[in-house]
mmCIF file of all heavy atoms in Angstrom:
data_model
loop_
_atom_site.group_PDB
_atom_site.id
_atom_site.type_symbol
_atom_site.label_atom_id
_atom_site.label_comp_id
_atom_site.label_asym_id
_atom_site.label_seq_id
_atom_site.Cartn_x
_atom_site.Cartn_y
_atom_site.Cartn_z
ATOM 1 N N ASP A 1 -7.635 -21.457 -3.096
ATOM 2 C CA ASP A 1 -7.085 -22.148 -1.922
ATOM 3 C C ASP A 1 -5.684 -21.679 -1.555
ATOM 4 O O ASP A 1 -5.104 -22.169 -0.590
ATOM 5 C CB ASP A 1 -7.050 -23.660 -2.170
ATOM 6 C CG ASP A 1 -8.443 -24.270 -2.228
ATOM 7 O OD1 ASP A 1 -9.377 -23.686 -1.642
ATOM 8 O OD2 ASP A 1 -8.594 -25.327 -2.874
ATOM 9 N N LEU A 2 -5.125 -20.749 -2.355
ATOM 10 C CA LEU A 2 -3.771 -20.267 -2.071
ATOM 11 C C LEU A 2 -3.811 -19.054 -1.157
ATOM 12 O O LEU A 2 -4.676 -18.192 -1.291
ATOM 13 C CB LEU A 2 -3.059 -19.863 -3.358
ATOM 14 C CG LEU A 2 -2.645 -20.964 -4.311
ATOM 15 C CD1 LEU A 2 -1.967 -20.358 -5.530
ATOM 16 C CD2 LEU A 2 -1.715 -21.956 -3.636
ATOM 17 N N LEU A 3 -2.842 -18.992 -0.258
ATOM 18 C CA LEU A 3 -2.661 -17.834 0.606
ATOM 19 C C LEU A 3 -1.296 -17.233 0.313
ATOM 20 O O LEU A 3 -0.272 -17.912 0.436
ATOM 21 C CB LEU A 3 -2.743 -18.226 2.082
ATOM 22 C CG LEU A 3 -2.490 -17.102 3.085
ATOM 23 C CD1 LEU A 3 -3.577 -16.028 2.972
ATOM 24 C CD2 LEU A 3 -2.427 -17.656 4.499
ATOM 25 N N LEU A 4 -1.289 -15.971 -0.134
ATOM 26 C CA LEU A 4 -0.045 -15.234 -0.360
ATOM 27 C C LEU A 4 0.124 -14.287 0.807
ATOM 28 O O LEU A 4 -0.724 -13.415 1.042
ATOM 29 C CB LEU A 4 -0.106 -14.447 -1.675
ATOM 30 C CG LEU A 4 0.069 -15.256 -2.956
ATOM 31 C CD1 LEU A 4 -1.103 -16.181 -3.202
ATOM 32 C CD2 LEU A 4 0.270 -14.324 -4.117
ATOM 33 N N ARG A 5 1.188 -14.474 1.531
ATOM 34 C CA ARG A 5 1.438 -13.719 2.757
ATOM 35 C C ARG A 5 2.756 -12.973 2.599
ATOM 36 O O ARG A 5 3.776 -13.587 2.311
ATOM 37 C CB ARG A 5 1.506 -14.727 3.903
ATOM 38 C CG ARG A 5 1.344 -14.189 5.247
ATOM 39 C CD ARG A 5 1.250 -15.369 6.226
ATOM 40 N NE ARG A 5 1.764 -14.966 7.490
ATOM 41 C CZ ARG A 5 1.031 -14.419 8.447
ATOM 42 N NH1 ARG A 5 -0.248 -14.255 8.274
ATOM 43 N NH2 ARG A 5 1.585 -14.033 9.579
ATOM 44 N N THR A 6 2.707 -11.642 2.789
ATOM 45 C CA THR A 6 3.927 -10.843 2.653
ATOM 46 C C THR A 6 4.227 -10.148 3.969
ATOM 47 O O THR A 6 3.409 -9.392 4.487
ATOM 48 C CB THR A 6 3.789 -9.804 1.526
ATOM 49 O OG1 THR A 6 3.423 -10.483 0.320
ATOM 50 C CG2 THR A 6 5.102 -9.072 1.314
ATOM 51 N N ASP A 7 5.403 -10.437 4.487
ATOM 52 C CA ASP A 7 5.898 -9.851 5.731
ATOM 53 C C ASP A 7 6.810 -8.690 5.353
ATOM 54 O O ASP A 7 7.750 -8.867 4.579
ATOM 55 C CB ASP A 7 6.675 -10.917 6.506
ATOM 56 C CG ASP A 7 7.042 -10.512 7.917
ATOM 57 O OD1 ASP A 7 6.969 -9.319 8.242
ATOM 58 O OD2 ASP A 7 7.414 -11.414 8.688
ATOM 59 N N HIS A 8 6.513 -7.503 5.869
ATOM 60 C CA HIS A 8 7.311 -6.291 5.640
ATOM 61 C C HIS A 8 7.935 -5.954 6.993
ATOM 62 O O HIS A 8 7.205 -5.760 7.972
ATOM 63 C CB HIS A 8 6.423 -5.130 5.197
ATOM 64 C CG HIS A 8 5.530 -5.444 4.035
ATOM 65 N ND1 HIS A 8 4.374 -6.220 4.149
ATOM 66 C CD2 HIS A 8 5.611 -5.089 2.741
ATOM 67 C CE1 HIS A 8 3.800 -6.301 2.973
ATOM 68 N NE2 HIS A 8 4.530 -5.636 2.092
ATOM 69 N N ARG A 9 9.250 -5.874 7.051
ATOM 70 C CA ARG A 9 9.926 -5.775 8.345
ATOM 71 C C ARG A 9 11.051 -4.750 8.307
ATOM 72 O O ARG A 9 11.734 -4.606 7.286
ATOM 73 C CB ARG A 9 10.479 -7.167 8.672
ATOM 74 C CG ARG A 9 10.919 -7.386 10.054
ATOM 75 C CD ARG A 9 11.325 -8.841 10.275
ATOM 76 N NE ARG A 9 12.637 -9.113 9.680
ATOM 77 C CZ ARG A 9 12.887 -10.093 8.831
ATOM 78 N NH1 ARG A 9 11.958 -10.921 8.426
ATOM 79 N NH2 ARG A 9 14.110 -10.262 8.363
ATOM 80 N N ILE A 10 11.243 -4.072 9.411
ATOM 81 C CA ILE A 10 12.374 -3.168 9.601
ATOM 82 C C ILE A 10 13.268 -3.786 10.672
ATOM 83 O O ILE A 10 12.839 -3.956 11.811
ATOM 84 C CB ILE A 10 11.915 -1.765 10.060
ATOM 85 C CG1 ILE A 10 10.984 -1.126 9.026
ATOM 86 C CG2 ILE A 10 13.121 -0.875 10.355
ATOM 87 C CD1 ILE A 10 10.262 0.137 9.529
ATOM 88 N N ASP A 11 14.501 -4.131 10.303
ATOM 89 C CA ASP A 11 15.480 -4.659 11.260
ATOM 90 C C ASP A 11 16.510 -3.580 11.534
ATOM 91 O O ASP A 11 17.094 -3.024 10.588
ATOM 92 C CB ASP A 11 16.205 -5.887 10.689
ATOM 93 C CG ASP A 11 15.296 -7.079 10.484
ATOM 94 O OD1 ASP A 11 14.230 -7.151 11.134
ATOM 95 O OD2 ASP A 11 15.659 -7.948 9.661
ATOM 96 N N ARG A 12 16.755 -3.286 12.776
ATOM 97 C CA ARG A 12 17.810 -2.342 13.140
ATOM 98 C C ARG A 12 19.124 -3.120 13.164
ATOM 99 O O ARG A 12 19.243 -4.113 13.871
ATOM 100 C CB ARG A 12 17.509 -1.703 14.487
ATOM 101 C CG ARG A 12 16.232 -0.870 14.427
ATOM 102 C CD ARG A 12 15.753 -0.440 15.812
ATOM 103 N NE ARG A 12 14.400 0.042 15.765
ATOM 104 C CZ ARG A 12 14.052 1.309 15.607
ATOM 105 N NH1 ARG A 12 14.975 2.233 15.513
ATOM 106 N NH2 ARG A 12 12.785 1.664 15.578
ATOM 107 N N ILE A 13 20.087 -2.663 12.359
ATOM 108 C CA ILE A 13 21.317 -3.456 12.202
ATOM 109 C C ILE A 13 22.568 -2.747 12.705
ATOM 110 O O ILE A 13 23.640 -3.317 12.656
ATOM 111 C CB ILE A 13 21.513 -3.887 10.728
ATOM 112 C CG1 ILE A 13 21.540 -2.689 9.793
ATOM 113 C CG2 ILE A 13 20.444 -4.887 10.322
ATOM 114 C CD1 ILE A 13 21.910 -3.032 8.358
ATOM 115 N N GLY A 14 22.430 -1.549 13.178
ATOM 116 C CA GLY A 14 23.594 -0.827 13.675
ATOM 117 C C GLY A 14 23.259 0.630 13.849
ATOM 118 O O GLY A 14 22.154 1.076 13.547
ATOM 119 N N GLU A 15 24.207 1.370 14.332
ATOM 120 C CA GLU A 15 24.006 2.795 14.559
ATOM 121 C C GLU A 15 23.607 3.493 13.260
ATOM 122 O O GLU A 15 24.378 3.553 12.310
ATOM 123 C CB GLU A 15 25.293 3.414 15.121
ATOM 124 C CG GLU A 15 25.147 4.843 15.573
ATOM 125 C CD GLU A 15 24.178 5.009 16.730
ATOM 126 O OE1 GLU A 15 24.158 4.124 17.615
ATOM 127 O OE2 GLU A 15 23.451 6.014 16.762
ATOM 128 N N GLY A 16 22.374 3.977 13.217
ATOM 129 C CA GLY A 16 21.903 4.722 12.060
ATOM 130 C C GLY A 16 21.650 3.889 10.821
ATOM 131 O O GLY A 16 21.506 4.429 9.732
ATOM 132 N N ARG A 17 21.571 2.573 10.945
ATOM 133 C CA ARG A 17 21.348 1.688 9.790
ATOM 134 C C ARG A 17 20.181 0.747 10.077
ATOM 135 O O ARG A 17 20.038 0.248 11.200
ATOM 136 C CB ARG A 17 22.579 0.840 9.472
ATOM 137 C CG ARG A 17 23.836 1.595 9.144
ATOM 138 C CD ARG A 17 23.830 2.298 7.826
ATOM 139 N NE ARG A 17 23.722 1.372 6.703
ATOM 140 C CZ ARG A 17 23.457 1.767 5.464
ATOM 141 N NH1 ARG A 17 23.248 3.033 5.180
ATOM 142 N NH2 ARG A 17 23.395 0.886 4.487
ATOM 143 N N ILE A 18 19.400 0.505 9.036
ATOM 144 C CA ILE A 18 18.330 -0.480 9.120
ATOM 145 C C ILE A 18 18.354 -1.353 7.877
ATOM 146 O O ILE A 18 18.957 -0.999 6.864
ATOM 147 C CB ILE A 18 16.927 0.171 9.259
ATOM 148 C CG1 ILE A 18 16.605 1.052 8.049
ATOM 149 C CG2 ILE A 18 16.806 0.928 10.570
ATOM 150 C CD1 ILE A 18 15.168 1.559 7.991
ATOM 151 N N ARG A 19 17.724 -2.488 7.990
ATOM 152 C CA ARG A 19 17.501 -3.369 6.843
ATOM 153 C C ARG A 19 15.985 -3.467 6.681
ATOM 154 O O ARG A 19 15.270 -3.810 7.627
ATOM 155 C CB ARG A 19 18.092 -4.753 7.081
ATOM 156 C CG ARG A 19 17.883 -5.711 5.918
ATOM 157 C CD ARG A 19 18.510 -7.095 6.160
ATOM 158 N NE ARG A 19 19.942 -6.975 6.362
ATOM 159 C CZ ARG A 19 20.580 -7.290 7.487
ATOM 160 N NH1 ARG A 19 19.923 -7.743 8.536
ATOM 161 N NH2 ARG A 19 21.891 -7.156 7.575
ATOM 162 N N VAL A 20 15.506 -3.164 5.486
ATOM 163 C CA VAL A 20 14.092 -3.307 5.162
ATOM 164 C C VAL A 20 13.955 -4.651 4.443
ATOM 165 O O VAL A 20 14.683 -4.923 3.484
ATOM 166 C CB VAL A 20 13.597 -2.149 4.269
ATOM 167 C CG1 VAL A 20 12.132 -2.337 3.906
ATOM 168 C CG2 VAL A 20 13.824 -0.809 4.967
ATOM 169 N N VAL A 21 13.052 -5.491 4.946
ATOM 170 C CA VAL A 21 12.915 -6.854 4.449
ATOM 171 C C VAL A 21 11.478 -7.100 4.006
ATOM 172 O O VAL A 21 10.540 -6.780 4.728
ATOM 173 C CB VAL A 21 13.284 -7.889 5.539
ATOM 174 C CG1 VAL A 21 13.163 -9.314 5.006
ATOM 175 C CG2 VAL A 21 14.662 -7.623 6.111
ATOM 176 N N TYR A 22 11.311 -7.662 2.815
ATOM 177 C CA TYR A 22 10.027 -8.158 2.341
ATOM 178 C C TYR A 22 10.193 -9.666 2.174
ATOM 179 O O TYR A 22 11.164 -10.126 1.563
ATOM 180 C CB TYR A 22 9.646 -7.582 0.975
ATOM 181 C CG TYR A 22 9.166 -6.158 0.955
ATOM 182 C CD1 TYR A 22 9.373 -5.276 2.001
ATOM 183 C CD2 TYR A 22 8.487 -5.700 -0.165
ATOM 184 C CE1 TYR A 22 8.931 -3.966 1.930
ATOM 185 C CE2 TYR A 22 8.037 -4.393 -0.243
ATOM 186 C CZ TYR A 22 8.261 -3.528 0.808
ATOM 187 O OH TYR A 22 7.819 -2.230 0.726
ATOM 188 N N ARG A 23 9.228 -10.426 2.688
ATOM 189 C CA ARG A 23 9.286 -11.890 2.552
ATOM 190 C C ARG A 23 7.893 -12.393 2.202
ATOM 191 O O ARG A 23 6.946 -12.144 2.934
ATOM 192 C CB ARG A 23 9.744 -12.532 3.853
ATOM 193 C CG ARG A 23 9.849 -14.038 3.763
ATOM 194 C CD ARG A 23 10.475 -14.622 5.035
ATOM 195 N NE ARG A 23 10.729 -16.007 4.865
ATOM 196 C CZ ARG A 23 9.840 -16.974 5.135
ATOM 197 N NH1 ARG A 23 8.647 -16.655 5.578
ATOM 198 N NH2 ARG A 23 10.154 -18.235 4.951
ATOM 199 N N MET A 24 7.786 -13.064 1.067
ATOM 200 C CA MET A 24 6.509 -13.632 0.646
ATOM 201 C C MET A 24 6.537 -15.142 0.783
ATOM 202 O O MET A 24 7.530 -15.787 0.431
ATOM 203 C CB MET A 24 6.183 -13.284 -0.804
ATOM 204 C CG MET A 24 4.918 -13.985 -1.318
ATOM 205 S SD MET A 24 4.476 -13.521 -2.985
ATOM 206 C CE MET A 24 3.555 -12.035 -2.588
ATOM 207 N N THR A 25 5.424 -15.684 1.274
ATOM 208 C CA THR A 25 5.219 -17.129 1.263
ATOM 209 C C THR A 25 3.889 -17.405 0.573
ATOM 210 O O THR A 25 2.928 -16.651 0.717
ATOM 211 C CB THR A 25 5.196 -17.732 2.685
ATOM 212 O OG1 THR A 25 4.183 -17.092 3.462
ATOM 213 C CG2 THR A 25 6.541 -17.569 3.377
ATOM 214 N N VAL A 26 3.875 -18.478 -0.187
ATOM 215 C CA VAL A 26 2.658 -18.947 -0.832
ATOM 216 C C VAL A 26 2.396 -20.337 -0.274
ATOM 217 O O VAL A 26 3.264 -21.212 -0.349
ATOM 218 C CB VAL A 26 2.809 -19.002 -2.371
ATOM 219 C CG1 VAL A 26 1.530 -19.541 -3.010
ATOM 220 C CG2 VAL A 26 3.157 -17.635 -2.934
ATOM 221 N N THR A 27 1.215 -20.522 0.309
ATOM 222 C CA THR A 27 0.852 -21.813 0.885
ATOM 223 C C THR A 27 -0.502 -22.249 0.339
ATOM 224 O O THR A 27 -1.293 -21.427 -0.119
ATOM 225 C CB THR A 27 0.790 -21.755 2.427
ATOM 226 O OG1 THR A 27 -0.127 -20.725 2.830
ATOM 227 C CG2 THR A 27 2.165 -21.474 3.027
ATOM 228 N N GLY A 28 -0.734 -23.542 0.415
ATOM 229 C CA GLY A 28 -1.980 -24.124 -0.064
ATOM 230 C C GLY A 28 -1.667 -25.280 -0.994
ATOM 231 O O GLY A 28 -0.500 -25.610 -1.228
ATOM 232 N N PRO A 29 -2.725 -25.897 -1.557
ATOM 233 C CA PRO A 29 -2.516 -27.026 -2.469
ATOM 234 C C PRO A 29 -1.638 -26.630 -3.660
ATOM 235 O O PRO A 29 -1.858 -25.590 -4.273
ATOM 236 C CB PRO A 29 -3.938 -27.367 -2.942
ATOM 237 C CG PRO A 29 -4.850 -26.780 -1.909
ATOM 238 C CD PRO A 29 -4.139 -25.582 -1.359
ATOM 239 N N ASP A 30 -0.647 -27.424 -3.940
ATOM 240 C CA ASP A 30 0.271 -27.195 -5.064
ATOM 241 C C ASP A 30 1.004 -25.860 -4.978
ATOM 242 O O ASP A 30 1.382 -25.273 -6.002
ATOM 243 C CB ASP A 30 -0.459 -27.306 -6.410
ATOM 244 C CG ASP A 30 -1.028 -28.684 -6.654
ATOM 245 O OD1 ASP A 30 -0.339 -29.673 -6.305
ATOM 246 O OD2 ASP A 30 -2.153 -28.780 -7.173
ATOM 247 N N ALA A 31 1.202 -25.359 -3.770
ATOM 248 C CA ALA A 31 1.850 -24.052 -3.588
ATOM 249 C C ALA A 31 3.249 -24.014 -4.180
ATOM 250 O O ALA A 31 3.659 -22.987 -4.722
ATOM 251 C CB ALA A 31 1.891 -23.676 -2.103
ATOM 252 N N ASP A 32 3.994 -25.119 -4.090
ATOM 253 C CA ASP A 32 5.340 -25.135 -4.676
ATOM 254 C C ASP A 32 5.288 -24.864 -6.168
ATOM 255 O O ASP A 32 5.994 -23.997 -6.689
ATOM 256 C CB ASP A 32 6.026 -26.493 -4.453
ATOM 257 C CG ASP A 32 6.518 -26.687 -3.040
ATOM 258 O OD1 ASP A 32 6.696 -25.681 -2.327
ATOM 259 O OD2 ASP A 32 6.718 -27.851 -2.642
ATOM 260 N N ALA A 33 4.429 -25.580 -6.865
ATOM 261 C CA ALA A 33 4.349 -25.450 -8.321
ATOM 262 C C ALA A 33 3.724 -24.122 -8.724
ATOM 263 O O ALA A 33 4.259 -23.397 -9.574
ATOM 264 C CB ALA A 33 3.548 -26.606 -8.906
ATOM 265 N N ILE A 34 2.597 -23.780 -8.121
ATOM 266 C CA ILE A 34 1.911 -22.537 -8.489
ATOM 267 C C ILE A 34 2.729 -21.325 -8.042
ATOM 268 O O ILE A 34 2.881 -20.357 -8.783
ATOM 269 C CB ILE A 34 0.484 -22.510 -7.909
ATOM 270 C CG1 ILE A 34 -0.349 -23.631 -8.525
ATOM 271 C CG2 ILE A 34 -0.168 -21.153 -8.161
ATOM 272 C CD1 ILE A 34 -1.695 -23.852 -7.859
#
């Protein structure tokens, strides 16, 4: 019943610079504990 979702993102933050971001969320019953 758990869904693990990972967002992979490229943010442009300035001339010639980027930020690479990984963000995971876990949702479903007892997601906080599990």
Side-chain angles (χ1 to χ4, degrees):
D1 291 335
L2 289 179
L3 177 64
L4 284 68
R5 198 172 151 90
T6 305
D7 190 345
H8 308 76
R9 194 175 76 233
I10 300 168
D11 294 338
R12 296 169 194 267
I13 57 172
E15 188 63 37
R17 301 289 297 168
I18 61 171
R19 180 179 300 116
V20 178
V21 181
Y22 285 17
R23 181 173 188 272
M24 174 177 275
T25 57
V26 178
T27 56
D30 297 320
D32 285 339
I34 296 170

